[in-house]
C-alpha cells in the first residue's frame, strides 16, 4: 500500500511537556494535506514494541491554520494507549489519521449572543482550537471559557489563553473573552472553587461571568467526563436549554471526553 493510500500519515513529535505525572502536552508536525474544523478530533496511533498499533481519538488543540498539531493527554493508569504515548520522546513517530471528525463545532449553532465553553480536564482541548479561530470572535458578542481542574497545577495552556488578546488578528476582539478557571480540590488565587454544576446551581458562575445563562442568548458547549456532561445538561434542561441537533437547532452541544 502506498503512503497516499493509507488512512494515516506519519508525523514527528516536536515537543512533549509534562504538566503533572498524569498530564502532558505534545506537538507534532502536520501533513500539508490534513484539514480539520476547530473543535474536531482525530485518531492518533502509536506502534507498540510487538509491531501492533493502538489508536485513540484526541481533540486538536491547535488552530486549523497552524503548521503543527497540538494535543493534550492524560495518562490512564494501565491504559494501553496512553502508557505507550507517554513514553514517546521528541523525534519519535506518531500516526495521525487523515480524516478529522466530530461535531463540537460552531456550526452546531444557528444563532446566539453569548458562547459558553465548559470544559473539565483535557476536555478544554477543542475550546482552545475554537478560540484560536477567527470565526468565533466574529459570531458571538461574549465568550466565556470555563476551565475546571482538580488542582491549579493541572490547568494547562495558561500562556496560550492569556495571550489570545495579544494576537494581532484578535486584538480588537479581546474584550469579548471572559476566562474563568475553576479548581475543585483546593483554593487558588484568581480561580473559583467548586464544580461547574455546583457553581451553576448556586449562581456563582453567572455572577463571575457577569452574564446570565439563558435559552434566548446563551449557546453552551460542554466537553469533559460523561458524568459532568450529563449533570450539566440536566441543569441546563431545567432552564429550557436543549441539545442542538441538525433537525432541531438548540442551545447545547456536547462531546464526551474520557
Amino acid at each position: 500500500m502506498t503512503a497516499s493510500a493509507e488512512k494515516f500519515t506519519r508525523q514527528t513529535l516536536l515537543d512533549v511537556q509534562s504538566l503533572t505525572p498524569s498530564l502532558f502536552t505534545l506537538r507534532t508536525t502536520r501533513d500539508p494535506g490534513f484539514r480539520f474544523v476547530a473543535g474536531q478530533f482525530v485518531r492518533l496511533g502509536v506502534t507498540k514494541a510487538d509491531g501492533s498499533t493502538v489508536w485513540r481519538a484526541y481533540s486538536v488543540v491547535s488552530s486549523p491554520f497552524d503548521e503543527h498539531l497540538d494535543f493534550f493527554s492524560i495518562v490512564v493508569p494501565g491504559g494501553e494507549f496512553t502508557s505507550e504515548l507517554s513514553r514517546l520522546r521528541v523525534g519519535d513517530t506518531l500516526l495521525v489519521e487523515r480524516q478529522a471528525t466530530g461535531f463540537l463545532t460552531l456550526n452546531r449553532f444557528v444563532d446566539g449572543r453569548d458562547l459558553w465553553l465548559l470544559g473539565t480536564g483535557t476536555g478544554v482541548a477543542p475550546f482552545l482550537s475554537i478560540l484560536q479561530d477567527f470565526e468565533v470572535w466574529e459570531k458571538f458578542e461574549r465568550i466565556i471559557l470555563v476551565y475546571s481542574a482538580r488542582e491549579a497545577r493541572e490547568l494547562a495552556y495558561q500562556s496560550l489563553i492569556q495571550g489570545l488578546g495579544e494576537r494581532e488578528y484578535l486584538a480588537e476582539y479581546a474584550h469579548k473573552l471572559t476566562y474563568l478557571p475553576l479548581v475543585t480540590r483546593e483554593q487558588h488565587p484568581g480561580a473559583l472553587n467548586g464544580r461547574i454544576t455546583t457553581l451553576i446551581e448556586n449562581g456563582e458562575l453567572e455572577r463571575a461571568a457577569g452574564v446570565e445563562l439563558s435559552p434566548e442568548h446563551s449557546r453552551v458547549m460542554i466537553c469533559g467526563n460523561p458524568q459532568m456532561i450529563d449533570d450539566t445538561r440536566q441543569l441546563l434542561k431545567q432552564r429550557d436549554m436543549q441539545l442542538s441537533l441538525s433537525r432541531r437547532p438548540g442551545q447545547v452541544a456536547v462531546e464526551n471526553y474520557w
Side-chain angles (χ1 to χ4, degrees):
M1 181 181 288
T2 64
S4 60
E6 290 178 327
K7 293 184 177 180
F8 59 85
T9 62
R10 294 171 175 81
Q11 300 304 314
T12 302
L13 207 52
L14 299 175
D15 185 60
V16 183
Q17 298 287 336
S18 292
L19 198 67
T20 71
S22 61
L23 287 172
F24 63 98
T25 66
L26 57 150
R27 172 171 291 182
T28 74
T29 54
R30 175 178 177 173
D31 184 82
F34 180 69
R35 298 287 182 268
F36 69 96
V37 176
Q40 287 189 317
F41 60 84
V42 65
R43 290 209 312 161
L44 304 181
V46 176
T47 303
K48 299 171 64 177
D50 63 6
S52 63
T53 303
V54 192
W55 295 90
R56 292 293 183 276
Y58 277 80
S59 289
V60 184
V61 171
S62 43
S63 154
F65 307 102
D66 283 337
E67 295 181 354
H68 55 263
L69 295 174
D70 288 332
F71 302 98
F72 186 21
S73 183
I74 186 170
V75 179
V76 179
E80 184 181 27
F81 182 83
T82 59
S83 295
E84 296 289 337
L85 187 64
S86 62
R87 292 193 193 99
L88 295 183
R89 297 295 177 262
V90 171
D92 286 345
T93 297
L94 191 66
L95 307 182
V96 180
E97 277 203 342
R98 294 181 183 276
Q99 183 66 49
T101 189
F103 302 100
L104 197 67
T105 54
L106 292 182
N107 59 11
R108 290 291 295 273
F109 302 126
V110 297
D111 58 5
R113 185 192 69 189
D114 309 320
L115 179 65
W116 292 76
L117 305 172
L118 310 181
T120 57
T122 55
V124 75
F127 301 149
L128 298 177
S129 183
I130 287 170
L131 287 170
Q132 293 178 82
D133 193 6
F134 187 66
E135 182 186 359
V136 69
W137 302 86
E138 279 193 312
K139 189 168 183 175
F140 292 94
E141 292 181 25
R142 294 285 306 274
I143 305 165
I144 303 96
L145 173 63
V146 179
Y147 179 9
S148 174
R150 294 171 301 178
E151 302 172 2
R153 64 177 183 154
E154 296 178 345
L155 293 168
Y157 297 102
Q158 294 303 289
S159 59
L160 187 158
I161 295 169
Q162 302 294 349
L164 285 169
E166 298 171 13
R167 300 190 181 196
E168 186 176 347
Y169 68 103
L170 297 180
E172 63 178 293
Y173 298 92
H175 65 280
K176 293 187 175 187
L177 179 64
T178 299
Y179 172 45
L180 299 176
L182 272 57
V183 179
T184 60
R185 294 189 180 177
E186 62 182 11
Q187 297 286 341
H188 183 70
L192 297 174
N193 179 244
R195 297 179 181 273
I196 288 176
T197 47
T198 302
L199 300 181
I200 290 176
E201 284 183 297
N202 65 19
E204 190 174 345
L205 196 64
E206 289 160 284
R207 285 193 293 273
V211 62
E212 181 186 5
L213 269 167
S214 72
E216 180 184 3
H217 296 302
S218 303
R219 300 297 175 263
V220 186
M221 289 182 161
I222 316 170
C223 189
N225 72 73
Q227 190 62 58
M228 181 279 290
I229 290 177
D230 289 345
D231 293 345
T232 304
R233 278 191 60 194
Q234 287 304 312
L235 289 175
L236 296 177
K237 193 173 182 180
Q238 294 170 16
R239 301 189 183 206
D240 296 321
M241 300 175 72
Q242 305 293 333
L243 196 64
S244 188
L245 306 171
S246 55
R247 65 181 184 276
R248 188 201 67 212
Q251 300 83 19
V252 181
V254 305
E255 190 100 273
N256 282 336
Y257 221 77
W258 199 237

